[in-house]
Amino acid sequence: MIPFPITKKTVAAMIHVPALPGTPHSSIPVPKMIPAVRNEAKIYRDHGADAILVENMHDRPYLRGDDVGHEITAALSVLAAEIKDAAGLPCGIQILAAANKQALACAHANNLDFIRAEGFAFTHVADEGLIDSNAAELLRYRKSIGAENIAVLTDIKKKHSSHAITADIDVVETAHAASFFLSDGLILTGAATGREADLEEVRAVKNALPDTPLVIGSGTTPENIRDYLALADGVIVGTAIKQNTDWTQPPDPARLKSLLQAARP
């Protein structure tokens, strides 16, 4: 297991880059995105975030895995490099949807610290369609390109998905399977973006796998962050630190300050 890239209770802030080339809402050339993403990275750095996660959430509707175009990986590589340089913080990347090898390649090219991977263990039905288990392929790819220093953090019972196929396998057994398949850290979410993760599930997973890093991947607010960090090793926060608590909006420094004050009184 690769060490989790942060050694304290981590607050990782989300940067949702603008819609990328070829996607339905694309309207801005990649070079013109750079000032905005650098500014967002600096806001998070200056207001005390511990890490940054980069994601292409504006690219909806999402392609899956290897169907994600090379133009998306290339654009995100340019933007991730700028974000890492501007922030000077540990950075990770997720490429939607389940484009885990592409995310790993991007992270490797830009000296990022981790990726967020979907579909690592067990098949599930996402709103993009069927997402198959990919741990074996992904970790062999990581080995082949010499990217073994990059942590692979893996969603279990992922949001925006149906898990009816694996309804007889609870979240703890799913966590055990991901750990057995050499996940470097687990991510628990609510049912959708901005929805809270179930605190009892968090407790159950951490009790079952105390030595495996556990991150909350959705729904963290100033009201619940202390409860989550009492159990988990970190949180990934987007909606709660954006203007009007809307993930599509720019960051709100006051909301970030409020969240961090609640986490670190």
Side-chain angles (χ1 to χ4, degrees), residues 61-212:
Y62 311 113
L63 295 168
R64 287 174 293 166
D66 290 338
D67 289 334
V68 172
H70 301 303
E71 70 281 0
I72 300 301
T73 307
L76 278 168
S77 193
V78 169
L79 297 173
E82 295 286 347
I83 289 166
K84 176 80 173 181
D85 177 70
L89 295 173
C91 289
I93 190 163
Q94 178 178 23
I95 302 182
L96 299 169
N100 300 330
K101 288 195 295 183
Q102 290 85 340
L104 194 58
C106 180
H108 185 47
N110 293 294
N111 197 30
L112 304 189
D113 302 274
F114 64 98
I115 69 165
R116 181 175 182 174
E118 304 172 67
F120 189 78
F122 293 112
T123 293
H124 67 268
V125 182
D127 44 14
E128 302 90 12
L130 198 67
I131 305 293
D132 207 358
S133 171
N134 53 57
E137 182 180 4
L138 180 63
L139 295 189
R140 282 164 174 77
Y141 179 66
R142 181 173 68 175
K143 181 81 170 182
S144 74
I145 65 171
E148 294 167 282
N149 61 310
I150 297 168
V152 175
L153 308 184
T154 59
D155 275 282
I156 54 173
K157 298 286 187 181
K158 185 186 176 291
K159 61 185 177 179
H160 300 290
S161 303
S162 167
H163 300 282
I165 296 171
T166 55
D168 58 331
I169 303 169
D170 68 16
V171 69
V172 171
E173 287 306 313
T174 306
H176 273 295
S179 179
F180 181 72
F181 274 4
L182 308 181
S183 169
D184 297 310
L186 307 172
I187 300 175
L188 269 178
T189 69
T193 297
R195 305 271 187 90
E196 294 185 19
D198 185 282
L199 199 60
E200 291 309 309
E201 288 189 349
V202 176
R203 182 176 287 106
V205 170
K206 196 60 183 173
N207 286 342
L209 293 162
D211 297 326
T212 301

